[in-house]
Amino acid sequence: MNWDAMNWDAIGATAEALGAIGVIITLAYLAVQVRQNSRLLEKSTEATQVTADDAVVENFNSWREMMITNPEVSEIFIRGMEDPSSLAPGERHRFNHALGTFTWTAWQLWRVQALLGTPNTLLLRHMLMHEGGRAWYSDNRAFFPPDFCESLDKHLAEIAQAGLSDLTPSDVSSMFEGRLESPTSDTDE
């Protein structure tokens, strides 16, 4: 028997076994790292969403504050939603900016939701139930992305089908009175 050949075979087998163990340890380490990175990415995404949501809420709060603290703008907005042709040129300008601020903020919210796979334009559905909201959207839709407009267009079709397109800001199911009607119900409770 040749001991030298046998020793080399044993050394070779041992090296292969150690190599296999090294590969298994490396794979286990990588699996743990991937899992940790996935968790960190999820947490980072959640933190980004919270930050974006906070910015949108702050923008909506600024819009609400503008309506609450400035009765003239609030009155122009209500009249513009009911009948935009009743507004004088300066009032029309203020109405456009007030509704533009509201819609752009709603678009920001929709964009954040779209990144998460849950876009929702329900808030704007109520704007479209008013003559002034529909007219403003028709005049300004070119400023928004096509997929956002597609969602709003679906709401317009639902509104027309349900006969809700004559809502006024003083109706109880108006968002301006603080209550939203159900998107699946076309009757007031």
Side-chain angles (χ1 to χ4, degrees):
M1 234 181 159
N2 185 351
W3 287 100
D4 287 333
M6 216 166 118
N7 284 341
W8 284 113
D9 288 341
I11 291 172
T14 303
E16 283 182 32
L18 290 175
I21 291 170
V23 167
I24 291 170
I25 290 171
T26 300
L27 289 174
Y29 174 77
L30 290 174
V32 168
Q33 289 298 310
V34 167
R35 191 173 306 129
Q36 286 177 347
N37 286 342
S38 295
R39 285 187 197 133
L40 287 174
L41 183 59
E42 286 174 14
K43 295 295 181 189
S44 175
T45 300
E46 288 174 13
T48 300
Q49 179 185 356
V50 167
T51 301
D53 287 347
D54 287 349
V56 169
V57 167
E58 184 59 36
N59 287 343
F60 275 127
N61 286 341
S62 294
W63 184 84
R64 286 183 195 104
E65 183 178 344
M66 175 181 63
M67 290 296 157
I68 293 167
T69 61
N70 192 330
E72 181 186 356
V73 171
S74 184
E75 176 61 31
I76 289 169
F77 190 78
I78 290 171
R79 282 192 300 120
M81 289 301 279
E82 289 177 350
D83 180 13
S85 66
S86 71
L87 300 175
E91 292 174 327
R92 176 75 181 198
H93 180 74
R94 293 177 93 179
F95 172 75
N96 283 336
H97 282 290
L99 195 52
T101 300
F102 179 81
T103 307
W104 279 105
T105 300
W107 174 73
Q108 291 171 334
L109 175 62
W110 177 87
R111 187 176 60 164
V112 168
Q113 292 170 339
L115 290 172
L116 299 170
T118 59
N120 183 346
T121 54
L122 185 59
L123 184 61
L124 288 172
R125 180 178 190 274
H126 299 279
M127 176 195 82
L128 296 170
M129 294 169 72
H130 301 275
E131 180 183 341
R134 287 189 306 276
W136 185 91
Y137 171 64
S138 177
D139 291 343
N140 293 282
R141 66 177 285 133
F143 297 109
F144 296 98
D147 48 353
F148 180 72
C149 291
E150 182 180 315
S151 182
L152 294 180
D153 291 342
K154 286 179 185 175
H155 288 306
L156 282 171
E158 291 169 2
I159 290 165
Q161 185 178 20
L164 297 171
S165 59
D166 296 328
L167 194 66
T168 66
S170 58
D171 290 334
V172 287
S173 61
S174 169
M175 68 182 190
F176 305 105
E177 286 295 314
R179 180 173 160 254
L180 303 177
E181 102 295 342
S182 168
T184 57
S185 170
D186 58 334
T187 59
D188 289 338
E189 294 178 4

